[in-house]
Amino acid sequence: MRAAAFTGIGSPEHVEVEPFADPEANPGEAVLEVEACSINHHDLWILRDGFRVEEDQLPYVAGMDVAGTVSAVGDDVESVEPGDRVLLCPNQTCGSCRYCRDGPETHCERFDLYHGGLAEYAAVDADRLIRLPDTVDSVDAAAIPVAYMTAFRMLEEADVGPGDLVFVPGATGGVGVATVQLADVLGARTIGTSTSREKLDRLETLGADYVIESGGPDEIRDAVLEIGRVDVTINHLGGPYTEVGQNVLRRGGRMAICGQTAGPTSTLTMGDLFLNHKRIIGSTMGTQSDLERLVDLVADGRLDPVVDERYSLDDTDQAFADMDDRNALGKLVVEP
């Protein structure tokens, strides 16, 4: 088979299509003929910074958001069979720790994520596959897992409901767009920010109620407060946007944090935090049942995942270049 592999660390120039051995289905596994795989900033961090990948692991095949058709199954697999159209939940858990027993599975002590979807075929845990309805195509399905699961779980953890005002700094990336769309499904209102007027115009068509064209934390804070204090901040940026996200919360407001794209450390104002009963919530990914609910939303026509661009396997390097240049709004999907 062919796969788009990272042959070095540093830039999209190191993404090359190379031959690999066809995978086989071990007990408990299924082999998918991959029809679509979207890329995420997690993949870009591996490529750019070598995140959790050692040099002796190169060439390395990334890709977590995998949709396709089952081509073979291993022993003891009864949940799927060859010919099934499926979507992979990329969560990998131990199944035995207290968090796997009691839930949610995202708290697993050895929680990890699948990689290997940027290829013509992929061997995966069969129990992590979700059958796709006929009304959900593979490209839309591949746009869902990482970004939409993450956004969905954050909104759930922050108890977002109808009428709530939700602040989404950096709202035109994958998680940001998903948050705006899902908040709209929940009946909440959103404030989204971006440095691109064009992207903000598109964001409004996706359900954003207020948009702010700025990347400056102080300017964003002032603009949000002019609209009004918010019930919830959904923060996938970290860095200086965490302090802004806290500052604009109403009394009793909540901020869910899932990332550190803008920096690994942040400042919190302690007095404001405890005197105003604000809550900070850490959140990673979502559960397999969350993903099943998201697929149902797409099948019912209540959610339309945003795919900005589609690429062939040979153009995977360009997909990463476009992500690195921040040219996209929504998901970038490779179709092997």
Side-chain angles (χ1 to χ4, degrees), residues 181 185-186 296-304:
Q181 289 184 282
V185 171
L186 294 171
D296 287 342
L297 286 175
V298 176
D300 293 342
R302 299 180 62 197
L303 175 66
D304 185 12

Side-chain angles (χ1 to χ4, degrees), residues 20-84:
F20 286 80
D22 289 345
E24 296 183 358
N26 294 319
E29 291 185 338
V31 172
L32 305 186
E33 182 176 356
V34 179
E35 296 170 2
C37 179
S38 70
I39 63 173
N40 295 278
H41 273 95
H42 184 100
D43 303 308
L44 182 60
W45 291 332
I46 295 173
L47 173 62
R48 192 169 55 196
D49 305 321
F51 177 67
R52 297 178 66 182
V53 172
E54 302 297 330
E55 190 168 342
D56 61 5
Q57 293 177 269
L58 301 177
Y60 184 84
V61 181
M64 300 177 281
D65 293 346
V66 187
T69 300
V70 176
S71 63
V73 297
D75 293 342
D76 302 323
V77 172
E78 298 180 355
S79 55
V80 294
E81 59 186 26
D84 286 346

Side-chain angles (χ1 to χ4, degrees), residues 31 36 55 83 139 154 161 176 178 182 194 205 272 282 289 314:
V31 172
E55 190 168 342
V139 171
M154 294 172 81
L182 289 169
S194 173
T205 68
D272 175 51
S289 61
D314 290 315

